[in-house]
């Protein structure tokens, strides 16, 4: 190789490194094409206040730490990753669920460093942060919940968080949940929020939630950080039961890349400030909470790293709901299906492949496959009326439906996913640069 060629190659490499360093300092990417037009106007949740600061945990000049202060009497429920390598903050939160709600509570979250796989340093960091928050807000340490998201395996510089606590405390406001949503992002291209207002009796109950998630998304509780707040009055065991049930219908049915995080945390706080008592039979409340959770779950998929397509995989006619979900996840997680979607290729053979490998029961000659309203295959063969151009026309849409009827029973399930593009590779190749 001549000198000119070597210099050209070095300049190209330098340009790439400069690009990676710029991304690493801010971790910002172009807003996903499937993003909502704007962040919703979230209702004020009486009994809750929020703040966010630029602590510089990893990112330069970005909000990266949020604090939520919750009034005495607030009950808190949570679901967490089942990963055997889950982080110190997750283990700490799990241990604190069910603590006496008489006193106030707090949630402190940082982005940029997950405090996972950090040994004793991880637990020491959690203790230092939650202890400092407890002292600052005058609440018991066992009522301070922490969450961290970001790079795995690097010690958390917790002093950058605790030194900001006076600022966080001094800027707590009831109407700053959007800033909190901004502060918990990593590779997310937009902040995620959802809301609901529901009339129970003659009074209104408010629900507001925020989430982060873009990559490392697969069902195993929830696969992201999610924080939901309501002014309803709900006993902790009831709140936990409602949350666990609804999680299985929402966050546990999304997947971006089949990878489950070490840091997945979903906390639901009920301040009770409205005075409206809710139990598991209060259908209006459960429906509203379900809608908020599903909205946030869908936003996570819409922000899937590199995603250009939002896909619902709907399976019916299975022997059981469990079998239907297994088939749906096999389709949604298949790299071959996801890349076909990215290329707008109506390759229904890949759907057949995914069903066959899922491990759940299926009979080839009873399968019916549709892309949207287009009948693609039936009776073990391509449908006589199917035209490739019709399938391709559906695949050209931003929002797609892959519909499978197994023809075996009444089991059904829906899973939501996205396509797999070169953008996913670029984002993750630069993640620790």
């Amino acid at each position: 190789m001549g000198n000119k060629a070597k210099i050209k190659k070095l300049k190209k490499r330098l340009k790439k490194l400069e690009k990676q360093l710029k991304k690493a300092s801010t971790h910002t990417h172009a807003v996903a094409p499937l993003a909502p037009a704007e962040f919703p106007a979230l209702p004020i949740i009486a009994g809750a206040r929020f703040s966010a600061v630029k602590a510089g945990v990893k990112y330069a000049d970005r909000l990266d730490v949020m604090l939520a202060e919750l009034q005495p009497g607030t009950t808190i429920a949570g679901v967490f990753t089942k990963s055997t390598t889950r982080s110190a903050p997750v283990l700490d939160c799990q241990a604190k669920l069910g603590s006496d709600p008489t006193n106030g509570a707090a949630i402190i979250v940082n982005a940029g460093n997950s405090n996972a796989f950090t040994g004793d340093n991880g637990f020491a960091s959690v203790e230092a942060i939650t202890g400092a928050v407890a002292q600052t807000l005058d609440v018991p340490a066992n009522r301070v919940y922490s969450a961290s998201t970001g790079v795995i395996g690097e010690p958390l510089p917790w002093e950058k968080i605790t030194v900001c606590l006076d600022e966080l405390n001094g800027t707590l406001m009831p109407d700053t949940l959007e800033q909190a949503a901004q502060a918990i992002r990593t590779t997310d291209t937009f902040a995620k929020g959802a809301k609901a207002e529901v009339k129970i009796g003659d009074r209104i109950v408010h629900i507001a939630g925020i989430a982060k998630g873009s990559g490392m998304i697969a069902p195993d509780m929830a696969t992201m950080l999610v924080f939901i707040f309501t002014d309803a009055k709900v006993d902790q065991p009831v709140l936990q039961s409602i949350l666990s049930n609804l999680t299985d219908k929402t966050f546990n049915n999304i997947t971006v890349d089949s990878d489950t995080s070490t840091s997945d945390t979903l906390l639901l706080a009920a301040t009770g400030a409205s005075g409206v008592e809710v139990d598991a039979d209060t259908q209006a409340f459960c429906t509203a909470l379900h809608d908020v959770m599903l909205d946030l779950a869908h936003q996570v998929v819409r922000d899937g790293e590199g995603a250009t397509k939002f896909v619902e995989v709907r399976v019916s006619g299975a022997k059981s709901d469990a079998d239907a979900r297994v088939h749906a996840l096999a389709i949604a997680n298949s790299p071959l299906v996801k890349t076909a979607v990215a290329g707008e290729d109506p390759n229904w053979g890949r759907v057949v492949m995914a069903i066959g490998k899922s491990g759940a029961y299926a009979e080839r000659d009873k399968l019916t496959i549709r892309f949207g309203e287009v009948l693609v295959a039936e009776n073990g063969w391509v449908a006589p009326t199917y035209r490739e151009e019709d399938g391709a026309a559906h695949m050209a849409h931003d929002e797609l439906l892959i519909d499978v009827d197994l023809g075996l029973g009444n089991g059904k399930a829906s899973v939501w996913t996205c396509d797999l593009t070169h953008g996913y590779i670029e984002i993750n190749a630069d993640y620790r640069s």
Side-chain angles (χ1 to χ4, degrees), residues 91-433:
L91 292 168
D92 186 65
C93 281
Q94 288 178 306
K96 290 175 176 176
L97 282 184
S99 57
D100 184 0
T102 303
N103 299 288
I107 300 171
I108 181 94
V109 187
N110 75 271
N113 184 308
S114 71
N115 196 18
F117 208 69
T118 49
D120 291 340
N121 287 329
F123 295 102
S125 298
V126 170
E127 185 176 356
I129 293 168
T130 56
V133 171
Q135 186 173 6
T136 300
L137 298 183
D138 192 24
V139 299
N142 69 348
R143 290 277 285 164
V144 180
Y145 300 82
S146 70
S148 299
T149 180
V151 173
I152 294 170
E154 296 181 5
L156 176 65
W158 57 266
E159 299 93 340
K160 290 185 177 182
I161 299 172
T162 55
V163 76
C164 295
L165 287 178
D166 286 342
E167 181 182 357
L168 283 163
N169 185 34
T171 54
L172 285 165
M173 297 287 287
D175 59 351
T176 51
L177 195 49
E178 180 177 357
Q179 288 88 330
Q182 294 285 357
I184 63 176
R185 296 183 304 121
T186 51
T187 59
D188 303 56
T189 68
F190 62 90
K192 301 166 182 66
K195 64 179 180 178
E197 296 182 2
V198 57
K199 190 173 184 180
I200 299 176
D202 59 353
R203 286 181 288 181
I204 300 294
V205 165
H206 302 88
I207 305 171
I210 60 174
K212 68 81 51 183
S214 185
M216 206 180 286
I217 302 295
D220 189 11
M221 153 261 133
T223 44
M224 64 234 93
L225 299 185
V226 183
F227 306 100
I228 303 175
F229 307 90
T230 178
D231 53 13
K233 186 176 182 181
V234 195
D235 290 339
Q236 200 281 333
V238 173
L239 193 68
Q240 185 63 55
S241 176
I242 293 173
L243 180 65
S244 297
N245 179 51
L246 294 180
T247 298
D248 282 339
K249 299 176 181 179
T250 55
F251 293 114
N252 276 354
N253 284 340
I254 64 172
T255 177
V256 168
D257 49 20
S258 80
D259 285 332
T260 296
S261 172
T262 58
S263 306
D264 306 341
T265 299
L266 165 52
L267 294 176
L268 169 61
T271 68
S274 69
V276 179
E277 295 189 6
V278 165
D279 60 30
D281 294 324
T282 309
Q283 192 57 48
F285 175 80
C286 294
T287 298
L289 179 59
H290 169 271
D291 292 347
V292 168
M293 293 170 66
L294 189 61
D295 188 343
L296 292 172
H298 283 184
Q299 287 187 56
V300 170
V301 173
R302 291 177 181 279
D303 201 16
E305 290 171 342
T308 65
K309 306 281 188 181
F310 178 83
V311 186
E312 178 182 356
V313 180
R314 185 187 301 165
V315 175
S316 60
K319 281 194 167 183
S320 66
D321 289 349
D323 270 11
R325 186 168 179 270
V326 170
H327 284 301
L329 285 172
I331 297 166
N333 282 325
S334 167
L336 287 176
V337 172
K338 292 162 76 69
T339 50
V341 169
E344 301 183 350
D345 177 11
N347 193 335
W348 56 272
R350 295 182 177 181
V351 177
V352 174
M353 172 278 301
I355 294 168
K357 74 165 187 175
S358 76
Y361 188 78
E363 291 185 23
R364 182 195 61 199
D365 294 345
K366 292 185 177 181
L367 288 177
T368 301
I369 300 172
R370 287 181 170 84
F371 291 156
E373 297 297 322
V374 179
L375 177 62
V376 175
E378 61 181 350
N379 302 322
W381 188 242
V382 63
T385 58
Y386 177 65
R387 299 188 309 158
E388 186 83 1
E389 53 265 38
D390 294 337
H394 180 71
M395 295 304 244
H397 297 157
D398 291 340
E399 301 197 8
L400 308 176
L401 170 64
I402 297 175
D403 190 336
V404 175
D405 188 336
L406 294 164
L408 299 170
N410 297 319
K412 59 183 179 179
S414 287
V415 167
W416 296 272
T417 190
C418 57
D419 54 346
L420 181 60
T421 70
H422 195 270
Y424 181 88
I425 298 171
E426 288 183 335
I427 291 169
N428 284 282
D430 292 339
Y431 188 65
R432 296 190 68 231
S433 300

